[in-house]
Structures are given as C-alpha cells and as structure tokens.
Amino acid sequence: MSFTYGAYTACLQDRTLPEALEVLRGIGLTGAEVNTGGFIPSPHAPVDALLASERARSEFLQVFADAEMQLTGLTASGNPLSPLPTEGLGHAHDLRRTIELAGLLGVRDVVAMSGTPGTDPGARYPAWIVNPWNGIDLEILEYQWSVAVPFWKEIDALARTHGVKVALEMHPRNLVFSPPSFERFVELVEPTNIGVNLDPSHLFWQQMEPIDCIERLGSYITHVHAKDTSVLPGAATRGVLDTDFGPVPEDPAQRTPTGMGHYCSTWPEDPAWRFVAIGEGHDAEYWSRFLAALAAVDPQLNVNIEHEDAAFDRVEGIARGAKTLLAAAAQSGL
C-alpha cells in the first residue's frame, strides 16, 4: 500500500460533488475529503439524508466510484468547546454526527479541532492561552483542560464504537496546537481512537519544523493535510503571533470567508506570514523529505491538499499544489 493523494473539497463549494471530483481527477489526484459541519457548511455531503438512508449512502459512494476517486475523510473542524451559543453545542453536535456517518460510510478518518473553552465557567468567548508564564494563565489552562478532558473522552469512546479515527488539527487558537500540547492531551484523555491531522502549514506558521514534529508524534499521526506557509519579511518586526489586523471589510465582495457567517480580518500590508499553495513556500525537494518522514510512520496515510492561498484561483491553487506534491511523491518513490 502507499499514500492516497487527494484534496479537501471545501474550496470547491461552488461546484457539485461530481464536478469537484472531476476537477481533482483531472489534476492527477485520486482522493477527496469532504466537509460535514463545524465552521463551514457541508456543500458536498447531505448529512441528514446520509444518516437516515442506506440508499442515500450507497448513491453517495457511487458518485466516488463513478469518478474513480476514493472518499478519504470527513471534516467537522470547529470549536466544540466554545462557550458561544453559535459555536460550541452546534459544532459538538456536528462532530458526533460526522463520526456516526463515517462509520456508516466505511470512512476511516474524521478531521476535527480540539477546541478552546472560555477562561472560566462564566466566560462568553473562547480564550487561547499561548504563553502562560503568568500564574493566572496557568489557572485558566487548568480550567480549560477540565472542560476538554471529559468531552474528548466521550468522543474517543464514540469513535471507537463506530470504528473510526478522529484526527485533531494542531491549529493555533486551540488547546492542542503543537506536539507538546497534543502529548498533554494524550496524558489526560488516554485516547485509543484520536490522533493528529498533520498539517505542516500550521507548524511552519509557528516556526516549527514539520519533519521533526512527524518524528516526535510518530504513530499518533492518522491523517495529513498538505498545505504550505510562507514566513514573510514582516516577521522580523511583527513576529508570527502579530495582532495588528484590521476589521472585516464592509464590502461583502472584499471579504474572505473563514466559515459560515465568519470572515477573515483585514491583513496588515506587510504581514508576517500567510498560507500559500504547496510549492510557494517550500520546494518539491522539501516535500519529498516530508513524505518520506510520513512514510516511516505510516505508509498508508491519506494526504489531502487544503487550498487557502488567496493569490490563486481555487482550481489553479489546487493544481499548483498537486503538481508539486506529486513531483515530490515521484522523487521519494511514494
């Protein structure tokens, strides 16, 4: 067996599922990961119908078979621990339904985020504690873990029941955003069916080395998002945790969506970093070494491109990434 190379279809939400799969197959990919809830809607998977009807599930899977593509993951990335009524309960519900649906569809991988609670039981907003050298911050973290642990123990049991693996994105603004924070998660939750979705872009952003992270996390890596980051000259004076962003543009045409009803703030003119298409931040030789490190952990991983580079059209961005990724795969014999 070897890696399955595909893409996350959320950026192709303006196309039908057959059309999106045709795009991916046309650029040499063989797998697709679809969204089923969380921060963004579910344009390519009618979750209610799929949960309710075996016939609907059969027809859904036939779309992939007809396109000669594999369904390699369901994604419900959100904040299931958020105190916001528009996030926490709904995102947790989406995640539970996604796990159940993955089991019914025979899909191994469910992608999620660990989430971020508020600072205390009365908090209105989630709060990400980044550098808790202050004792008060450590107290906040202890409270947040007390919220996270029972929730994720429940989710782990649910995933075990349905025979799927939940893969957490180590994304900033979450309790789990680095190998050490995931190791704390493992110590406290003792999961059997929760691992890591290795997305190197989030690690590059934080100035980590993804290959070192792969070696440290080992078999906990159960899924991969292929995405690149470019750290820019602005980092010299802004740092990669820069907060100098402006409000969401008033003109809807100028807004960049980050989820259903959520939009990206306005970036600084000289940003410290940005997500880029694969190959725009690191060349094929780097990605060859990246894939080799993953193969040493598990040669049967699903590797899906996630396109978030606003400099390129959606199809062009995925195609550029696929060209680099498949060249790296050929170079490394994977």
Side-chain angles (χ1 to χ4, degrees), residues 160-179:
R160 189 163 54 248
T161 296
H162 290 284
V164 304
K165 295 280 188 178
V166 175
L168 299 180
E169 292 196 49
M170 297 188 297
H171 196 301
R173 201 175 175 268
N174 284 267
L175 271 179
V176 174
F177 62 94
S178 64

Side-chain angles (χ1 to χ4, degrees), residues 217-299:
L217 292 164
S219 62
Y220 283 112
I221 299 170
T222 60
H223 192 79
V224 180
H225 272 176
K227 193 171 73 175
D228 208 346
T229 292
S230 180
V231 176
L232 303 170
T237 54
R238 292 185 177 278
V240 295
L241 294 178
D242 178 33
T243 59
D244 189 22
F245 286 70
V248 173
E250 292 187 9
D251 181 359
Q254 300 299 316
R255 296 175 182 173
T256 301
T258 59
M260 191 171 183
H262 298 271
Y263 301 91
C264 186
S265 302
T266 300
W267 283 61
E269 291 185 4
D270 60 333
W273 64 276
R274 70 181 181 90
F275 293 134
V276 295
I278 299 171
E280 299 299 305
H282 299 79
D283 61 16
E285 193 278 331
Y286 176 86
W287 291 105
S288 176
R289 292 190 289 113
F290 174 82
L291 293 174
L294 287 171
V297 169
D298 182 351

Side-chain angles (χ1 to χ4, degrees), residues 84-150:
L84 286 168
T86 55
E87 286 186 346
L89 292 176
H91 292 182
H93 179 63
D94 288 346
L95 177 57
R96 293 185 182 100
R97 281 158 44 94
T98 296
I99 290 169
E100 180 183 356
L101 179 58
L104 291 170
L105 290 172
V107 175
R108 181 190 68 188
D109 296 351
V110 168
V111 178
M113 293 178 180
S114 64
T116 313
T119 57
D120 58 82
R124 294 177 57 200
Y125 296 94
W128 184 41
I129 304 302
V130 182
N131 189 4
W133 62 270
N134 187 320
I136 292 175
D137 294 335
L138 281 173
E139 292 176 15
I140 294 172
L141 269 180
E142 289 302 319
Y143 166 75
Q144 291 183 323
W145 280 109
S146 77
V147 173
V149 170

